[in-house]
Amino acid sequence: MAAPLFLRGVPLLRLRLHQHRCSAVAILTPRPQSAVPEPSTTNPDEHKSCSSQSTATLSAKDPPKYPRLTDLQYRKWKDKEDEILRDVGPVILLTKDILHSDRYKDGECLTSEDEKAVVEKLLSYHPHSSDKIGCGLDSIMVDRHPQFICSRCLFVVRIDGGWIDFSYQKCLRAYVRFRYPLHADKFIRKHFKR
């Protein structure tokens, strides 16, 4: 809890340090008395950047670069984001429970209830679901990935005995794009990080 609160203050600390550095440069830089400016011992570009940057950061006329809760578009996005999370949240929890709990051992097929949920909510939205199912779906299995031994994933077991893995994240991305086309890209960028 303390780390996120500390990190929120980091930009303010940077701003204060920058302001102190700029004010120190302004104090140490002699002001020319004549109309012709004398060369300064400090870097004039640094002084210009400090003064222009400090006034730019302290200007109340510029709108903040971060979204505000009062902003109507931001509020609409947050409402839509909550709606999408309520929609896909149970499916994500079920899938993670299937993959990461002790409910299923490696090579074990899902129960009929879990299989129905996975087929309806995930596999049917996979971009290549017809290729994955092939000659027909016999069951859904949990096992170790052949190339990435440390990760468990879902496999389609076909009627002919063949099996192939499928990514539940690809299925969820396709589902979000299908159900929420206007907000899908932003949601996927935020919640499906690699």
Side-chain angles (χ1 to χ4, degrees):
M1 184 68 183
L5 291 175
F6 172 74
L7 292 176
R8 288 183 190 163
V10 170
L12 293 175
L13 289 173
R14 285 185 184 155
L15 177 66
R16 287 187 179 157
L17 287 173
H18 182 72
Q19 288 172 346
H20 287 296
R21 190 182 83 220
C22 290
S23 59
V25 168
I27 291 171
L28 295 176
T29 305
R31 295 189 183 250
Q33 298 295 328
S34 64
V36 179
E38 296 176 13
S40 171
T41 56
T42 61
N43 186 357
D45 294 334
E46 182 181 351
H47 180 65
K48 287 179 187 174
S49 67
C50 286
S51 62
S52 64
Q53 193 173 17
S54 64
T55 56
T57 55
L58 298 177
S59 174
K61 294 178 184 176
D62 297 330
K65 303 290 187 239
Y66 56 88
R68 292 182 287 179
L69 288 176
T70 57
D71 187 11
L72 185 60
Q73 287 181 334
Y74 181 71
R75 189 71 254 153
K76 283 181 181 179
W77 155 245
K78 291 306 282 181
D79 291 342
K80 189 54 82 169
E81 180 185 28
D82 291 342
E83 180 185 339
I84 298 170
L85 284 172
R86 281 192 304 273
D87 189 15
V88 299
V91 178
I92 293 172
L93 288 176
L94 173 68
T95 308
K96 287 186 176 185
D97 186 44
I98 289 170
L99 291 174
H100 304 298
S101 72
D102 294 334
R103 288 176 52 189
Y104 296 102
K105 294 182 174 77
D106 292 344
E108 190 174 348
C109 292
L110 303 184
T111 63
S112 60
E113 183 181 314
D114 287 344
E115 181 179 320
K116 181 181 176 188
V118 167
V119 169
E120 287 177 0
K121 307 263 182 178
L122 292 175
L123 185 59
S124 61
Y125 291 98
H126 194 283
H128 307 290
S129 62
S130 59
D131 295 337
K132 298 286 182 180
I133 294 172
C135 60
L137 175 70
D138 182 41
S139 61
I140 303 290
M141 175 179 71
V142 178
D143 205 351
R144 300 274 173 191
H145 194 277
Q147 287 179 315
F148 311 105
I149 306 289
C150 295
S151 66
R152 294 179 73 185
C153 58
L154 297 169
F155 289 86
V156 172
V157 180
R158 298 176 180 156
I159 294 173
D160 63 357
W163 47 274
I164 188 167
D165 67 309
F166 69 96
S167 167
Y168 80 92
Q169 293 217 357
K170 279 186 186 176
C171 300
L172 286 172
R173 285 188 196 110
Y175 175 78
V176 170
R177 284 189 180 105
F178 174 74
R179 289 288 309 266
Y180 308 98
L182 297 176
H183 304 283
D185 290 335
K186 189 172 184 176
F187 183 85
I188 289 168
R189 273 195 312 272
K190 183 174 181 182
H191 293 282
F192 290 99
K193 298 174 184 169
R194 284 271 173 195

